[in-house]
Amino acid sequence: MERTGIMVAGSILVDKIYEIKKYPMAGELTQIGKISRAVGGCVPNVGIDLKVINGDMPVYVCGKIGDDDDGKFVLSEFKRYGVDTTAVVVDGSDKTSFTDVMSIQGGERTFFTYAGTSADFGVDDIDFSKLNVKMLHLGYFLLLDKVDNGDGLKILKKAKEQGITTSIDLVSENSDRYSLVKPCLPYTDNLIINEVEGSKLSGIPFDGDNAPEIAKKLFEMGVKERVIIHMPKVGVCYSKNGLISVKSYKLPDGYIKGATGAGDAFCSGALTGIYKGYDDQRILEFASSCAAVSLRASDAVSGLMSEQEINEFCKAFNR
């Protein structure tokens, strides 16, 4: 049977978004202007984005949620977008993971997260005997205890043994725990991360201009197909075909409503391009287009459109 579709596995949580005018200093108070709830984490963000971008593509999700209201909310959102939730595990022993997002108009945000059920997600939660997908994307490393401590490597190895194309992403963390991810790189076909994560993982300090050097180093550390690094102003890709860079769009004043899901939107665009066999240039161009349209919304997924609509929408902007 021909492999088809993408499975997104790993972090599932709920974002509880509090819009504020400015972030207070210690001891200060700031007013919350608006409160909203949205799905968050790699699996909902990338899974839903992929389905919106590619309506006909089978998109599967796998992770752990609690037997609670937030868990039911997550499932309802997946189903509303047509994402297959068969592989989602409901675990009543803990709460669904959640993040309180303090979002300042214009894109800056701060996160307070509760690990919840996602921290317990691991290799035993994926039924590889039924996994017949073309690609598996696993994220977020450094936010999933079992995945970080060996299960991520086991998941990637099993996927590669079945001929599944693998990709991973990380969360940005000020720590030395990036060493936990390094053994996974030889079993990763596509590494999709930002400049902070790339710097920490490669051990090369980021100076604002050396993302290509960082991408090349990570490729040499074992990544099989390509390393993609996304930044606010540019995206870079290093593969066996060499280095490609694509500048971001110049967006009009007042356009950005929030940047909560921009990285995941970029990732979804990159995965779309990889799945469809685009060259590195086109992968980066479409990924940056996905990030641009996502900035129209304060939550992580509402800004996305179909691939055709995204391409048409972005004709109004210059890079």
Side-chain angles (χ1 to χ4, degrees):
M1 185 182 297
E2 182 182 359
R3 295 189 176 278
T4 184
I6 300 177
M7 173 174 277
V8 186
S11 172
I12 298 178
L13 52 85
V14 171
D15 283 335
K16 300 172 184 181
I17 303 166
Y18 304 87
E19 294 187 13
I20 57 178
K21 291 184 177 179
K22 68 173 185 176
Y23 196 84
M25 300 291 288
E28 291 184 347
L29 179 145
T30 195
Q31 288 190 340
I32 298 171
K34 182 181 177 183
I35 301 174
S36 58
R37 181 171 69 162
V39 291
C42 176
V43 176
N45 293 356
V46 176
I48 291 173
D49 283 355
L50 281 170
K51 193 63 180 177
V52 173
I53 295 167
N54 309 278
D56 296 332
M57 178 194 291
V59 177
Y60 308 89
V61 287
C62 182
K64 267 188 175 177
I65 58 174
D67 187 13
D68 53 21
D69 183 58
D70 281 343
K72 292 180 176 67
F73 172 69
V74 169
L75 289 177
S76 69
E77 288 295 282
F78 281 137
K79 291 174 182 176
R80 182 162 73 91
Y81 286 96
V83 176
D84 190 305
T85 62
T86 305
V88 174
V89 177
V90 179
D91 180 0
S93 66
D94 202 350
K95 292 182 178 295
T96 299
S97 307
F98 68 87
T99 297
D100 285 345
V101 183
M102 304 301 158
S103 180
I104 301 171
Q105 189 173 8
E108 294 182 17
R109 69 259 194 228
T110 307
F111 305 95
F112 301 85
T113 194
Y114 176 72
T117 49
S118 273
D120 193 50
F121 173 77
V123 65
D124 293 337
D125 296 308
I126 302 179
D127 187 348
F128 283 89
S129 68
K130 298 179 180 178
L131 195 59
N132 194 45
V133 296
K134 182 178 178 180
M135 291 170 54
L136 173 69
H137 182 71
L138 180 61
Y140 301 127
F141 277 82
L142 305 184
L143 198 60
L144 301 161
D145 289 352
K146 283 188 175 180
V147 167
D148 295 340
N149 291 285
D151 275 25
L153 180 58
K154 293 176 184 177
I155 290 168
L156 295 171
K157 280 184 175 180
K158 285 194 172 186
K160 291 298 296 174
E161 288 169 1
Q162 293 195 16
I164 298 170
T165 299
T166 60
S167 57
I168 67 171
D169 61 11
L170 291 67
V171 295
S172 301
E173 181 179 275
N174 186 19
S175 76
D176 59 0
R177 296 198 312 130
Y178 286 82
S179 60
L180 297 172
V181 184
K182 292 179 181 178
C184 298
L185 298 183
Y187 300 93
T188 299
D189 291 310
N190 296 283
L191 177 64
I192 306 170
I193 53 178
N194 66 29
E195 75 279 15
V196 175
E197 297 150 5
S199 174
K200 293 284 188 180
L201 187 56
S202 67
I204 300 174
F206 180 63
D207 65 9
D209 297 311
N210 64 341
E213 177 189 353
I214 291 170
K216 183 175 185 291
K217 173 66 179 295
L218 291 169
F219 188 80
E220 291 169 349
M221 289 168 65
V223 177
K224 298 303 182 187
E225 291 187 5
R226 58 184 62 80
V227 176
I228 296 174
I229 299 179
H230 54 87
M231 296 165 281
K233 293 184 178 180
V234 67
V236 302
C237 175
Y238 189 89
S239 71
K240 65 181 180 180
N241 297 317
L243 177 72
I244 293 290
S245 66
V246 170
K247 292 181 178 179
S248 301
Y249 289 106
K250 297 177 182 177
L251 300 173
D253 292 342
Y255 174 87
I256 298 174
K257 298 298 186 293
T260 301
D264 288 324
F266 184 101
C267 179
S268 301
L271 292 174
T272 295
I274 293 166
Y275 185 89
K276 295 184 175 181
Y278 296 167
D279 62 30
D280 292 343
Q281 177 84 21
R282 190 176 176 190
I283 288 171
L284 284 185
E285 289 175 350
F286 183 63
S288 70
S289 295
C290 290
V293 299
S294 79
L295 295 170
R296 302 179 306 141
S298 60
D299 66 78
V301 300
S302 298
L304 268 292
M305 303 177 283
S306 71
E307 181 175 4
Q308 182 178 353
E309 290 170 327
I310 290 169
N311 289 332
E312 189 64 29
F313 183 86
C314 288
K315 287 180 180 179
F317 306 132
N318 295 316
R319 294 191 182 275

